[in-house]
Every structure is written in C-alpha cells, then in structure tokens.
Amino acid sequence: MKILGISGSPRKNGVTVAMLEEALKAAKGDGAEVELYSVSGKNIQPCDGCWGCRETGKCHIRDDMQELYEKMLGADGIIFGTPVYFYSMTAQSKAIIDRSIIFGHPERSLANKVCGVVACAGSLGLANVLKDYSYYIIQRQMLPAFQVSAYAMGPDNLREMEKCMKALNDLGRQMIALVKLGFKYPTEFVRGPGAFGTHTR
Ligand SMILES: Cc1cc2nc3c(=O)[nH]c(=O)nc-3n(C[C@H](O)[C@H](O)[C@H](O)COP(=O)(O)O)c2cc1C
C-alpha cells in the first residue's frame, strides 16, 4: 500500500511539509510505503486548456508534472498539503489540481483512491482551501479522509500544537484504514471525459 504526500508549498521545510511528515510517519508506522513529494524547486506549469488529454489521457506539457502524474496514479492514497496564499491555495497547488484534468480519462483515473488534506495559514483563508479540495475529491471520485488545518507560521509553532499533531497522526492511520476498505465507486458513474453536474440546454 502506497501513500503519497504532496506539498504545494514553495518552502522546502515549512509547515506544510512538517504536517505531511507527521501524517506519513503514522501511515508508515501502520505498514504503508510512503513518499513525500514537494513542489519546491520543481517546474509545474499551469494547464493550457488544450483538451488534448481528452483523447489520450496524457498531457503534452513536458515538465515535472509528468513524474508526479505517475506517482499519483501509483498511490493508493494521496494527502494534499498547501499553505494559504492570499485566501487560497498556492499557485503550485492549483496548477496540480488543474493539470489533474487528465485523470478524467477512465484508464488513468484517481477514482477510488483515498484523499486527505492538510493546510496551514497565518490567519485567514483555510476554509476556502478545504472547500476547494472537497470539490476536487468529489470531481475525481476519491474517498475523503480527514482534512487537518493549522494556524502556524513555522514548523516549531506546529510542533507545539498537541491536538493538531494528534490529528495529523490520526489522518495517517485513517488513510491506511480507508484504503483497506477497498472502496469502489460504482463503475457506471466513473466518468470519462466530459462534463457532469449543473447543465443548461
Ligand atoms: C505570498 C503569501 C501569501 C500569504 N497569504 C496568506 C493568507 O491569505 N492568509 C493567511 O492566513 N496566511 C497567508 N500567508 C502565510 C502562510 O500561509 C503561512 O506562513 C504558512 O505557514 C506557510 O506555510 P509553509 O511553511 O508550508 O510554506 C501567506 C504567505 C505568503 C508567502
């Protein structure tokens, strides 16, 4: 069983990474193979809206997202982590979400993977981030795990927050327990390329 943590913070050793490390440590303690991927120093371009992936399930943009696509597909569970930047997730985190449009292809889907979220902020905007990831989880037909958030400006702040550290530990263990459930989205509703939700004529 593989659990992948993805930090969307440009900081290599910031709060987001510390939160993911705590959750992944717990997952590893319960027997999972874990990996932490950080966007720090990586080249992840925005989606250019070409829609080529509708046909191929692949993205033509040759950047570090190509490696991340394979890591995401190979994981049983993914924990997304982001700091709040201007009341939203970071540009890098949003680029990963947008580039995930390729996973609408039925043969390269995130459906049935367990998805947790960790987020941190100095003061305001956490709810926006958690809401956006909730939409993502629904759109990609994943099984939601806990969403853990913290007001912390540095990893030292975080480590003093006993309840938060416990919640992160719980998230790591919960990921394993949920993967073991073997969640299967009804195949007739696993969508291929195309729209769903609200429609006009
Ligand atoms: C460009 C920028 C914008 C930010 N905007 C917000 C914000 O809107 N709300 C907030 O509470 N914190 C904001 N912060 C603070 C970060 O969310 C906070 O420092 C967080 O702990 C950073 O996480 P990291 O160490 O994982 O990068 C901002 C920080 C930066 C650098």
Side-chain angles (χ1 to χ4, degrees):
M1 183 189 305
K2 277 194 195 161
I3 306 294
L4 173 68
I6 302 175
S7 166
S9 170
R11 293 172 78 188
K12 217 181 224 142
N13 293 305
V15 181
T16 309
V17 163
M19 292 179 87
L20 287 169
E21 280 174 348
E22 191 61 23
L24 292 178
K25 190 173 73 184
K28 191 174 178 185
D30 272 11
E33 188 186 322
V34 299
E35 181 175 357
L36 201 163
Y37 182 93
S38 166
V39 300
S40 177
K42 298 285 190 332
N43 172 22
I44 297 183
Q45 297 292 313
C47 174
D48 65 3
C50 75
W51 287 113
C53 59
R54 268 189 171 170
E55 314 303 327
T56 61
K58 305 249 163 84
C59 177
H60 75 96
I61 303 171
R62 301 283 115 191
D63 63 1
D64 290 323
M65 193 65 207
Q66 295 297 339
E67 181 196 18
L68 186 55
Y69 281 141
E70 300 312 315
K71 289 183 188 296
M72 292 171 79
L73 283 170
D76 300 291
I78 300 173
I79 308 176
F80 288 97
T82 189
V84 172
Y85 273 19
F86 283 91
Y87 296 81
S88 187
M89 63 182 67
T90 60
Q92 293 88 336
S93 297
K94 185 59 163 60
I96 292 170
I97 284 198
D98 292 346
R99 296 281 297 280
S100 292
I101 195 82
I102 75 157
F103 296 127
H105 196 279
E107 280 155 36
R108 286 169 70 80
S109 166
L110 297 182
N112 306 322
K113 296 184 191 298
V114 176
C115 187
V117 180
V118 302
C120 58
S123 58
L124 284 170
L126 281 168
N128 296 339
V129 165
L130 301 181
K131 167 187 65 75
D132 289 343
Y133 276 111
S134 300
Y135 292 145
Y136 180 81
I137 290 164
I138 295 168
Q139 282 273 346
R140 298 289 72 148
Q141 289 127 356
M142 301 170 93
L143 181 65
F146 289 151
Q147 300 191 334
V148 182
S149 56
Y151 292 114
M153 292 298 282
D156 289 347
N157 291 153
L158 177 80
R159 290 189 196 106
E160 288 162 5
M161 298 164 69
E162 227 172 88
K163 274 191 187 166
C164 184
M165 294 300 275
K166 159 107 177 49
L168 290 165
N169 191 282
D170 286 349
L171 167 61
R173 293 186 305 109
Q174 187 204 30
M175 294 290 297
I176 307 290
L178 290 177
V179 170
K180 282 188 180 159
L181 285 181
F183 172 70
K184 285 273 175 286
Y185 210 92
T187 45
E188 63 176 307
F189 299 113
V190 173
R191 66 186 274 258
F196 73 109
T198 308
H199 296 279
T200 62
R201 270 206 284 171

